Amino acid sequence: MTDPTPDPTRAASAWLADFAAALARRDVDAAVALFAPESYWRDLVAFTWNIRTQEGPAAIRAMLEARLADTQPSNFAIEGEATEADGVVDAWFRFETRVARGRGHLRLREGRCWTLLTTMTELKGFEEKTGEKRAKGTEHGVRRDRKSWLEQRQEEAQALGRTVQPEVVIIGGGQGGIALGARLRRLGVPTIIVERNARAGDSWRRRYKSLCLHDPVWYDHLPYLPFPDDWPVFSPKDKIADWLEMYTRVMELNYWSSTTAKKARFDETTQRWEVTVEREGEEIVLRPKQLVFALGVSGYPNVPEIAGAENFEGEQHHSSQHPGPEAYRGKKCVVLGSNNSAHDICAALWEHGADVTMIQRSSTHIAPSDSLMELALGGLYSEQAVKNGIDHHKADLIFASVPYKIMHALQIPVYEEMKRRDADLYNRLEKAGFMLDFGADGSGLFMKYLRRGSGYYIDVGASELVANGSIKLKSGVNIERVNERSVTLSDGSELPADLLVYATGYGSMNGWLADLISPEIADRVGKCWGLGSDTPKDPGPWEGELRNMWKPTQVPNLWFHGGNLHQSRHYSQFLALQLKARMEGLATPVYELAPSYHRR
């Protein structure tokens, strides 16, 4: 007797064929009927010229009614073999639109779509010059006054920004600006990256010497050039700095170091930005069509205003300015904060013989690195994942295929297991007075990162020092007053202090706009980052995507790019395609441009 249950590939192929046929005949009713009552369609540029998740059949219907005729999707085809686990069919597919090619991911439950991901991979006619399309490097034969590759490159660098205006200016030459610059270079988009430091990588190079990435190497590759296969699992800051500097040279980026952006304004007449920069003492006005802020995840450092701080006789600085622990052996050091930077700085000070006290104002999520690597990242970003055929390209898409609306529910079991596995550490931390949490709903580290960009520590050793008392702890208090050689806490106690470090985080990244452009423009954009989850530091309403990141904002021709290395790598592709399409004059009607929220 024949098994009536179709195999996963047949099931996925049948669904995709029905979906493609419905779209081809513009039958929105038939297309929507293929989605389950609880369903999600996340689109990265391909259908919406935006980064949007349509939640539920009604939202999917509205998007198709608005965008189907113009998008003209076609040529859907299953890629490889589908799989099935726990009643969910997973499948990859390729497709095309009128102007682009794309790749997608599908999850079926009981024959209907639960989650759908569609991503734009390249624009037709404007593909990257790779493989068979790559440049020759030279033209064989003989010709008078031939210019070498280096001479052509030098001429380009000398002209851009002076006699030739860039299409794009990226403010910020850290990992985000560099990754986006590489994408744009490959697409032939003239771009200048503006960086105030003297060398690419200096934002890493100048931090305290013990700083390492807490994310594993498989998670952190830059576009096009993955790290060598002997690269350390956790990258030391100076290796990252040197890699970024090498990368800018090898990828031939127009990287303006020692350059400070002073002011920017949009000229309505020319439809170009005027960006005034100071480069090695010379003031230059750049006139790009598109302006991108690529300054990380955050804005200006948050330095609290505390009574008496001006009279402190010791040293005080924000964690971003911390030089390292070497000068503080035998000193009394107070660190205000309890997240990643606070723990790293406390641990390094303790290692160098300082007397360290951490002041914890509110609860913090602790995720031991080994457990995080195995439970949360191992399936996608690990040596074993690579052996299983999941490289970082595929891992990025798998991760992107999970809608933010349901991501927290999928994360909760990970952190429940972490609680069980690391119960001894957690118990000892709580006995030491440390205030622990696992997020507002138990969903742990990554949801905290997406919602607020703070509130956690990936434990690489400092938690043990807190638990055993080597790092002293004052929790549930704040600094009420700074004295000449001490601090007074809100519980009335006093701590002697030679060094005071404010590990107090950063403001919203749109804070840069207020100074560089205007407060009105900053408020028009609204805050960047956060999902609108209505959890601490992520007020609603629900947005469903990271606010203002990698997509059009309420200010035309103004963009934000940033995040960790994984996000910079993955989303730089989609931002670059949006910028390239605009340069080439393609119609880019944005579906559901997000409103601004919460200003600054």
Side-chain angles (χ1 to χ4, degrees), residues 436-557:
L436 287 167
D437 73 57
F438 282 80
D441 49 13
S443 58
L445 186 145
F446 199 70
M447 294 311 300
K448 268 201 162 189
Y449 170 71
L450 293 170
R451 290 165 172 172
R452 54 184 281 190
S454 65
Y456 53 84
Y457 167 56
I458 300 175
D459 178 28
V460 293
S463 288
E464 180 59 38
L465 297 177
V466 175
N468 67 27
S470 298
I471 294 172
K472 299 171 185 176
L473 177 69
K474 295 286 287 187
S475 61
V477 296
N478 205 343
I479 298 177
E480 194 167 88
R481 182 172 184 82
V482 178
N483 309 307
E484 291 180 354
R485 281 288 174 180
S486 66
V487 295
T488 302
L489 304 183
S490 54
D491 64 359
S493 62
E494 188 173 347
L495 294 175
D498 302 304
L499 170 68
L500 179 54
V501 180
Y502 300 107
T504 44
Y506 300 82
S508 174
M509 63 184 76
N510 81 335
W512 302 104
L513 303 187
D515 288 345
L516 192 66
I517 307 175
S518 72
E520 293 76 22
I521 290 294
D523 288 342
R524 186 173 163 192
V525 169
K527 275 192 177 181
C528 300
W529 211 257
L531 302 170
S533 63
D534 207 23
T535 58
K537 298 191 178 181
D538 185 29
W542 175 251
E543 171 65 21
E545 294 286 348
L546 285 169
R547 289 173 172 160
N548 287 312
M549 297 304 301
W550 317 296
K551 59 187 177 183
T553 70
Q554 283 288 333
V555 177
N557 302 36

Side-chain angles (χ1 to χ4, degrees), residues 19 109 150 487 525 591:
F19 184 61
R109 288 199 303 199
L150 176 61
V487 295
V525 169
Y591 180 72

Side-chain angles (χ1 to χ4, degrees), residues 214-216 234 340 343 364-378 414-429 434 436-438 444-446 456-464 467:
H214 291 182
D215 302 321
F234 300 107
N340 268 333
H343 278 84
T364 308
H365 172 53
I366 303 295
S369 178
D370 289 347
S371 295
L372 187 72
M373 288 269 291
E374 182 179 342
L375 299 174
L377 294 174
V414 171
Y415 293 94
E416 288 295 329
E417 174 60 18
M418 193 177 290
K419 282 182 188 178
R420 187 197 65 77
R421 180 177 297 197
D422 298 295
D424 177 66
L425 174 64
Y426 293 136
N427 289 336
R428 290 187 295 112
L429 280 170
F434 196 87
L436 287 167
D437 73 57
F438 282 80
L445 186 145
F446 199 70
Y456 53 84
Y457 167 56
I458 300 175
D459 178 28
V460 293
S463 288
E464 180 59 38

Side-chain angles (χ1 to χ4, degrees), residues 160-407:
L160 194 62
R162 298 180 184 276
T163 58
V164 177
Q165 286 303 314
E167 175 75 12
V168 177
V169 164
I170 301 171
I171 297 178
Q175 62 210 34
I178 287 171
L180 179 60
R183 299 276 192 191
L184 292 170
R185 178 88 182 162
R186 293 269 286 246
L187 286 168
V189 179
T191 301
I192 291 175
I193 304 168
V194 173
E195 170 57 41
R196 64 183 178 181
N197 286 315
R199 296 163 61 194
D202 272 355
S203 56
W204 287 93
R205 202 174 277 116
R206 294 166 59 186
R207 298 293 301 277
Y208 51 92
K209 75 175 187 179
S210 63
L211 178 64
C212 280
L213 281 175
H214 291 182
D215 302 321
V217 62
W218 307 277
Y219 189 75
D220 293 329
H221 297 295
L222 269 64
Y224 311 120
L225 290 180
F227 294 117
D229 59 10
D230 68 341
W231 195 266
V233 172
F234 300 107
S235 304
K237 71 177 183 73
D238 295 293
K239 283 187 74 66
I240 287 290
D242 290 345
W243 186 263
L244 291 173
E245 187 172 29
M246 175 278 299
Y247 189 91
T248 62
R249 293 176 180 171
V250 170
M251 303 304 286
E252 298 184 331
L253 307 185
N254 293 300
Y255 192 90
W256 284 22
S257 58
S258 301
T259 304
T260 302
K262 309 291 285 186
K263 203 68 183 171
R265 63 175 290 271
F266 189 72
D267 188 325
E268 295 289 350
T269 303
T270 62
Q271 291 293 293
R272 285 181 173 269
W273 288 94
E274 292 182 356
V275 184
T276 303
V277 303
E278 185 177 305
R279 187 184 192 197
E280 298 175 343
E282 179 187 6
E283 191 170 278
I284 302 170
V285 179
L286 301 173
R287 293 181 170 83
K289 289 184 179 178
Q290 311 288 341
L291 180 60
V292 181
F293 282 78
L295 295 161
V297 177
S298 309
Y300 292 116
N302 282 330
V303 179
E305 294 184 6
I306 304 175
E310 69 278 6
N311 300 318
F312 187 56
E313 294 179 355
E315 292 183 53
Q316 58 180 324
H317 48 246
H318 189 266
S319 58
S320 60
Q321 302 300 314
H322 184 62
E326 290 78 12
Y328 305 108
R329 182 177 298 276
K331 302 286 189 181
K332 302 283 188 181
C333 303
V334 174
V335 177
L336 179 61
S338 57
N339 295 335
N340 268 333
S341 293
H343 278 84
D344 284 348
I345 290 169
C346 284
L349 287 167
W350 178 86
E351 286 181 335
H352 282 74
D355 181 312
V356 190
T357 301
M358 175 189 291
I359 299 176
Q360 183 188 27
R361 297 171 296 173
S362 58
S363 65
T364 308
H365 172 53
I366 303 295
S369 178
D370 289 347
S371 295
L372 187 72
M373 288 269 291
E374 182 179 342
L375 299 174
L377 294 174
L380 296 181
Y381 301 98
S382 67
E383 203 64 44
Q384 187 58 50
V386 173
K387 290 177 181 177
N388 292 340
I390 302 176
D391 63 7
H392 60 281
H393 302 293
K394 190 169 186 178
D396 289 349
L397 288 173
I398 294 171
F399 199 86
S401 73
V402 180
Y404 290 130
K405 187 75 170 181
I406 61 174
M407 186 176 285

Side-chain angles (χ1 to χ4, degrees), residues 14-26 31 34 73-77:
W15 187 93
L16 195 65
D18 289 344
F19 184 61
L23 297 184
R25 64 178 185 267
R26 308 291 187 261
L34 295 167
S74 63
N75 294 337
F76 287 84

